[in-house]
Amino acid sequence: MVVLRGLRRRWNAYKYRFVPWLAFNVRRQRRTLRYVPESSQDKIVPDEIVLETLLKVFTALLVNDFGRHVPALSLLPAVGRRYAQLRSAALQPGAGSSRSRQVLLSPEEVLFRTLGFSVTRDRSSLLSAGTGVFVSKGFVPKGALVAMYPGTVYRKHEPIFFQSLGNPFIFRCIDGILIDGNDKGLSRSVYRSCSWRDQLGPFQMSDVSWLTAAPQNPLAVGQYVNNCSYEKAANVCYQEFDVPRHFPVELKQYLPNIVYSHEIESHLRCVVLVTLRDIKQGEELFSNYYTIVN
């Protein structure tokens, strides 16, 4: 019985990569599919809104933990002064004191105060689905960015064979780019190595904390969002987003993605999850694993 349960868990993790199973289910479960008319038309909300949301959340995270970033920001005086002003505006009066003090909040609380909701990983409401992602606090309106899909970004020609073995966390973008969202084993080592490679002096170019149980970017949980079913309709959708070159260097430390290779100069690909309807506190997030591009 234990062996059968183990085999079933492995199958549930692998079946989305088994071509015959995919072909059968694409025909049988058409209402759970996601249709994209063209490879360039996958946008639920404009990229400008995605960028605005990320900048808002990342700025709030930096201001919340401002003291830790002072040495690095001293290399960018104008930028440092701007965040110092934002920090001053966020200071709260201390109890029984005429002076002000900053209260260090958890990343989840920063997200709640910034966007009005927080998300967390927990046991899925689906049987045998393992971990899922829930709205733990607040309310998420339709069309809101609710999570990000972290991981190493691979182009079509780059090696990912060994990382893909037994790995259910590889996301395929519409144009063939792959994102490995596995936080264990070889995938974990590759991501950390690429992150150290790209560090620019004191500035981190990506976030490695999503590999732990306490990510500094609370949005970086998208790889654990489960697939929709007949009983659980999709309430979020994946949207690809290329980080613009003018993205602030001091905020790149919260981006949970890194490119595998710099052989070809290109924008950093990220994938965000956007809500398809209003989502209330306590609801689990469900996405569409199957995308048909006409």
Side-chain angles (χ1 to χ4, degrees):
M1 192 64 179
V2 174
V3 174
L4 290 177
R5 283 200 297 266
L7 290 174
R8 183 176 181 180
R9 283 196 299 270
R10 286 181 175 273
W11 170 246
N12 286 335
Y14 176 76
K15 62 185 179 183
Y16 302 109
R17 300 173 58 78
F18 186 56
V19 174
W21 186 91
L22 281 172
F24 175 76
N25 281 274
V26 162
R27 292 195 300 268
R28 189 169 65 91
Q29 300 185 21
R30 300 193 70 82
R31 83 177 189 87
T32 66
L33 296 173
R34 176 192 175 206
Y35 290 90
V36 175
E38 295 180 14
S39 61
S40 61
Q41 298 181 4
D42 73 319
K43 307 298 182 182
I44 307 300
V45 298
D47 281 347
E48 292 77 15
I49 300 299
V50 173
L51 177 61
E52 180 183 345
T53 302
L54 294 181
L55 291 177
K56 187 177 182 180
V57 173
F58 293 176
T59 297
L61 289 169
L62 190 150
V63 169
N64 177 64
D65 195 16
F66 181 78
R68 183 168 65 88
H69 304 288
V70 168
L73 291 177
S74 64
L75 300 177
L76 303 172
V79 174
R81 285 193 296 270
R82 182 170 69 86
Y83 286 108
Q85 293 170 353
L86 293 173
R87 175 181 177 273
S88 297
L91 291 178
Q92 302 178 4
S97 172
S98 59
R99 300 186 66 181
S100 295
R101 63 183 179 88
Q102 184 179 28
V103 178
L104 185 63
L105 306 174
S106 68
E108 292 76 17
E109 184 63 22
V110 172
L111 179 62
F112 174 71
R113 295 194 180 194
T114 305
L115 298 184
F117 66 86
S118 58
V119 291
T120 188
R121 292 173 287 185
D122 205 342
R123 180 175 292 277
S124 176
S125 59
L126 295 177
L127 295 177
S128 303
T131 302
V133 178
F134 294 80
V135 176
S136 56
K137 189 176 181 181
F139 169 83
V140 190
K142 178 181 178 180
L145 189 160
V146 72
M148 302 182 71
Y149 198 100
T152 306
V153 180
Y154 294 85
R155 299 179 188 88
K156 297 178 183 179
H157 66 281
E158 293 175 332
I160 194 175
F161 175 76
F162 290 107
Q163 297 92 312
S164 70
L165 296 177
N167 183 357
F169 294 106
I170 295 180
F171 181 96
R172 186 185 188 279
C173 295
I174 292 174
D175 60 359
I177 286 178
L178 302 174
I179 300 180
D180 182 3
N182 193 359
D183 57 10
K184 297 178 178 62
L186 180 59
S187 299
R188 174 190 179 92
S189 299
V190 169
Y191 185 94
R192 293 180 69 89
S193 177
C194 291
S195 182
W196 292 330
R197 174 202 65 197
D198 288 357
Q199 184 170 342
L200 183 62
F203 295 103
Q204 296 285 344
M205 295 295 100
S206 63
D207 174 25
V208 296
S209 67
W210 69 271
L211 298 170
T212 71
Q216 67 172 351
N217 174 6
L219 294 171
V221 294
Q223 77 276 35
Y224 286 106
V225 173
N226 282 306
N227 187 40
C228 62
S229 65
Y230 280 98
E231 295 75 23
K232 304 285 187 177
N235 52 21
V236 300
C237 189
Y238 301 104
Q239 177 170 317
E240 298 167 21
F241 172 73
D242 289 334
V243 179
R245 300 191 190 284
H246 63 269
F247 196 88
V249 66
E250 71 277 5
L251 297 182
K252 289 185 177 182
Q253 62 181 304
Y254 300 109
L255 290 170
N257 298 96
I258 194 77
V259 294
Y260 176 76
S261 171
H262 286 293
E263 291 180 1
I264 301 176
E265 191 69 22
S266 64
H267 294 277
L268 172 66
R269 172 65 54 82
C270 288
V271 171
V272 300
L273 283 81
V274 178
T275 54
L276 298 172
R277 61 168 176 82
D278 295 346
I279 303 177
K280 300 177 182 178
Q281 180 174 317
E283 287 193 70
E284 184 174 357
L285 304 183
F286 293 101
S287 63
N288 297 280
Y289 279 9
Y290 311 116
T291 298
I292 292 182
V293 181
N294 293 329

